[in-house]
Amino acid sequence: MDVEKEAARIAEAGESARRFARDPVNLPMIHNWTEAIGDTNPRYTGPDAVAPPAMVQVWTMYGLNGVRDADDPLGAMVRVLDEAGFTSVVATNSDQTYHRYLKPGEHVSVTARLEDVTGPKKTALGEGWFVTTRSTWYVEDEIVAEMRFRILKFRPAVAEKPKAEPVRTQVIRPAINRDTEYFWEGLKQGELRIQRCGQCGLLRHPPGPMCPECGATKPKYLVSEGYGVVYSYVVHHHPRVPGREVPFVIALVELDEGVRMLGELAGVPRIGLPVQVVFTKVDDELTMPTWRPREDR
Amino acid sequence: MTAALVGIGATEFSKDSGRSELQLAAEAVRAALADAGLEPSDVDGLVSFTMDTNAEIAVARELGIPELTFFSRVHYGGGAACATVQQAAMAVATGAASVVVCYRAFNERSGHRFGQVSAAAAVNVDNSWSYPMGLGTPAAMVAMFAQRYMYEYGATSEDFGRIAVIDRKHAATNPHAWFHERPITLDDHQSSRWIAEPLRLLDCCQESDGGVALVVTSLERARSLRQSPVVIRAAAQGSGRDQFTMTSYYRDDLTQLPEMGVVARGLWRQSGITPSDVDVAVLYDHFTPFVLVQLEELGFCGRGEARGFVASGALELDGSLPLNPHGGQLGEAYIHGMNGIAEAVRQVRGTAVNQVADVEHVLVTAGTGVPTSGLVLGAP
Amino acid sequence: MRIGDSLPEWHVEATPTFVISTALATRDFQDVHHDRDLAIKRGSKDIFINILTTTGLVQRYVTDWAGEDAQVKQVNIRLGAPCYAYDTLKFFGQVIERVEDDLVVEVVGRTGHGDHVTGTVRIGVPG
């Protein structure tokens, strides 16, 4: 099955028909929700009560015995990927926008369309496709809320090759702490992440918890394009390094974004050589950034 | 500075000491005290490297040192060497202690070898940007700097090799040196195998077992002791911007050692001398390329000019800046820089085997590529 | 409330009762949120919190701090490690941005397995 072709077909179909919530917005369900979540915000109770905005999706859930509508794009795309062997699912993003709070008695309806399908991508969980849908909630003809929702449909990595236990090769493993885990996590997801100060935007590698420029302790990151040039390099001959055949090349790469990073280089090294990143999966727990000469140069 | 070095002591330098590191430390300290004409009971301060496995209290127990009023450790491997003397001098100057012994002892060849890849080192988060990427030995870490230095300044492997040749030449006439009577030629260097290109085997210092100790006290007290005091004219530590241990690769320029620049400024300011006043230079030489960079950071020549300076013969015993007359760590022994301080003391005393004439000021530096330290020692 | 202000750390004990009652209150009847045997059979360690609940907790964390007058306009979240039954979910937050007259609060919810949720909440604050 051609996943992309099917995705295009489903996207082409556009917006699904409006589907109404089982019940109008109502206080008993609001109270069930606030009780379970433990939310004591007084706005959600009393005569002028409004519904918690995060409940918007709750109103239009299919419920215990619900069946997805035939034109539901997420259901259709999931079937396509199931058939293609990407049988497992995990939700990755939910971006909800609330245009206003809902009041008891209002009866919401929802429509959905397929926004994007990208893949196949190698992820920590296995090879898979990211499926993004957009839902819109209405009260009559007024748009009251919207959501971009993304799932990963994947083929579990372990299913590829039966293994007795997770392979953990004899390489030197990084020490990872809360300041650095985003970097290693990114590698598993095929992203080369560069720390970016959430306040002043300083790019920094290796990362740290406090921005040396502005003092903010809100580090974020951006995902590098993965291109750079060799700033310096070493050809390692001796002594033996666990998990590697000697000789091998380690390059100090200056990324286009301006930071430098070390990694093994496959190819003949020279200072100034344009390179691109390769995500090299070492084992189930570790993916390393490595470099190869840039193909388009 | 009002402090002086009054005693030096060492074990033999070998590849297999056949005894514990604590025994090496105790023997070195006892030898240094004997050299100074002091008793263990005179000692009230001990300083070492954080990397040293011998606790101050263990050394005190072995020596029978009754009470300690000052004990301290310095970080960053070989960068600690001269800083142990700085700690001692500050302790003496403030009255925290009256006689302080600095020591370093290890079985670095027969026991834990720094030149091997240590998986344990990667438990440090800083090291996680290099070790897992395959960059896990000091030689390879220095090679990364050296490659860029060659690219920027046109230096060659032979320029590095000349440092090894000089050190081995000086070691050849030093009976205490491991490489006594075993000089090398530049051809030997050029035909030695690659360790981490652009570094060859003979660019890398040896690995040694042994211990060295140094005794520091006030200049006033020093005058009544056995040896002519060696005055600590300057003692400085230095760490640079965006500093890492061996892998400061994220600075603008990879051809410099700014932490040594910090040390240099401190030394010149405290001592009041300039590079041209230095009679002997004991420069840390675990890997040859950083000797060139040190010459530039310390102001003996301009940026990128060290190879010409070295080729001119300036570093010979009869040159303008005799380098490592004991043979350095490449030739004598690798005792994490402490044997170089002992040599500096001998040069000021006038008792070295390869004695330079009329020595007034000796410069000593500690580990390179790491936060480091330095000393200017002089005659009283 | 200023950019850089930190929210007080908040801990949620994800007891099985909590995982199940919130799943049902959000009308999510997928077995991995209420049936431990089936959850384990599907390769999970235990039952775990559903997304609608995570969204609700993120919203609550911010409104508990900002007060009842705060108007929630956006909740954008990215999901990471599952929050299993018996995990403690720790929330951290900081005001990171002002957009028009609204504040954007960054929220991280973390368990012993790593970041369960990272995201931002945009709120309108009167006055």
Side-chain angles (χ1 to χ4, degrees), chain A residues 218 220, chain C residues 1 5-7 58 61-63 65-66 74 76 92-98 102-108 119-123 125:
Chain A
K218 207 61 231 176
K220 302 165 93 73
Chain C
M1 288 179 208
D5 282 357
S6 287
L7 278 63
V58 168
Y61 179 47
V62 172
T63 53
W65 165 78
Q74 229 165 33
N76 293 353
F92 308 87
Q94 189 177 13
V95 182
I96 57 161
E97 207 182 347
R98 183 177 289 283
D102 300 338
L103 291 177
V104 177
V105 181
E106 186 173 70
V107 174
V108 179
T120 55
V121 178
R122 178 170 166 174
I123 52 171
V125 187

Side-chain angles (χ1 to χ4, degrees), chain B residues 123-135:
Chain B
V123 302
N124 176 320
V125 170
D126 273 2
N127 289 344
S128 294
W129 309 111
S130 52
Y131 280 69
M133 284 70 176
L135 195 75

Side-chain angles (χ1 to χ4, degrees), chain B:
Chain B
M1 285 286 173
T2 55
L5 278 152
V6 295
I8 54 175
T11 65
E12 82 287 3
F13 305 133
S14 74
K15 300 296 175 189
D16 185 1
S17 73
R19 49 209 199 274
S20 71
E21 295 186 335
L22 180 57
Q23 185 172 339
L24 295 176
E27 287 179 17
V29 173
R30 191 170 285 280
L33 289 172
D35 180 60
L38 288 165
E39 295 297 322
S41 56
D42 293 318
V43 177
D44 53 5
L46 288 171
V47 183
S48 190
F49 294 45
T50 39
M51 273 184 85
D52 201 277
T53 62
N54 305 297
E56 301 92 311
I57 52 173
V59 171
R61 285 198 306 268
E62 296 315 301
L63 271 296
I65 296 170
E67 292 177 345
L68 293 173
T69 59
F70 177 74
F71 30 95
S72 175
R73 298 279 190 121
V74 185
H75 273 310
Y76 309 115
C82 296
T84 62
V85 175
Q86 183 194 39
Q87 288 278 302
M90 291 194 296
V92 167
T94 59
S98 58
V99 175
V100 182
V101 184
C102 310
Y103 64 91
R104 178 75 174 113
F106 53 22
N107 288 320
E108 199 280 326
R109 180 60 182 79
S110 65
H112 173 65
R113 301 175 64 183
F114 303 161
Q116 302 298 307
V117 181
S118 165
V123 302
N124 176 320
V125 170
D126 273 2
N127 289 344
S128 294
W129 309 111
S130 52
Y131 280 69
M133 284 70 176
L135 195 75
T137 63
M141 290 169 183
V142 173
M144 192 67 79
F145 288 95
Q147 187 82 255
R148 187 74 198 185
Y149 182 87
M150 293 165 84
Y151 173 83
E152 299 238 358
Y153 294 125
T156 65
S157 172
E158 293 194 349
D159 293 322
F160 301 150
R162 289 190 180 92
I163 299 296
V165 171
I166 290 167
D167 269 348
R168 291 291 289 270
K169 181 180 175 185
H170 296 168
T173 52
N174 171 8
H176 302 291
W178 178 256
F179 288 113
H180 179 226
E181 296 181 340
R182 281 185 284 172
I184 57 166
T185 65
L186 199 52
D187 280 347
D188 293 334
H189 173 273
Q190 286 298 295
S191 56
S192 68
R193 65 187 161 115
W194 291 120
I195 296 297
E197 285 177 59
L199 295 197
R200 300 175 181 279
L201 177 66
L202 291 176
D203 287 307
C204 308
C205 83
Q206 60 187 317
E207 297 182 287
S208 307
D209 286 7
V212 169
L214 311 161
V215 184
V216 175
T217 191
S218 67
L219 183 55
E220 191 185 3
R221 181 157 184 186
R223 293 188 201 281
S224 62
L225 294 175
R226 174 180 299 163
Q227 304 285 356
S228 172
V230 173
V231 180
I232 301 164
R233 297 281 180 210
Q237 272 190 303
S239 168
R241 191 178 186 77
D242 213 6
Q243 181 78 50
F244 281 75
T245 302
M246 298 300 289
T247 55
S248 300
Y249 296 150
Y250 311 99
R251 297 164 167 167
D252 289 345
D253 194 331
L254 234 59
T255 65
Q256 304 183 10
L257 290 168
E259 55 279 2
M260 192 59 83
V262 175
V263 170
R265 292 201 303 273
L267 295 178
W268 305 139
R269 192 188 67 242
Q270 289 174 37
S271 65
I273 66 167
T274 64
S276 62
D277 298 319
V278 173
D279 302 305
V280 176
V282 178
L283 301 187
Y284 201 90
D285 56 345
H286 55 355
F287 300 100
T288 55
F290 276 163
V291 175
L292 273 67
V293 183
Q294 284 184 84
L295 290 168
E296 297 169 10
E297 286 291 348
L298 291 158
F300 293 106
C301 57
R303 297 268 179 222
E305 294 172 3
R307 63 194 182 108
F309 184 73
V310 173
S312 74
L315 305 181
E316 302 287 343
L317 287 177
D318 58 359
S320 61
L321 186 71
L323 174 78
N324 300 344
H326 60 315
Q329 303 193 91
L330 286 155
E332 186 185 65
Y334 173 69
I335 313 292
H336 241 167
M338 293 293 269
N339 50 320
I341 302 174
E343 170 66 7
V345 170
R346 288 188 293 265
Q347 288 290 341
V348 175
R349 287 179 179 174
T351 59
V353 288
N354 294 319
Q355 183 63 48
V356 174
D358 305 321
V359 173
E360 252 190 274
H361 298 107
V362 182
L363 170 74
V364 194
T365 60
T368 39
V370 294
T372 188
S373 52
L375 296 169
V376 173
L377 304 182

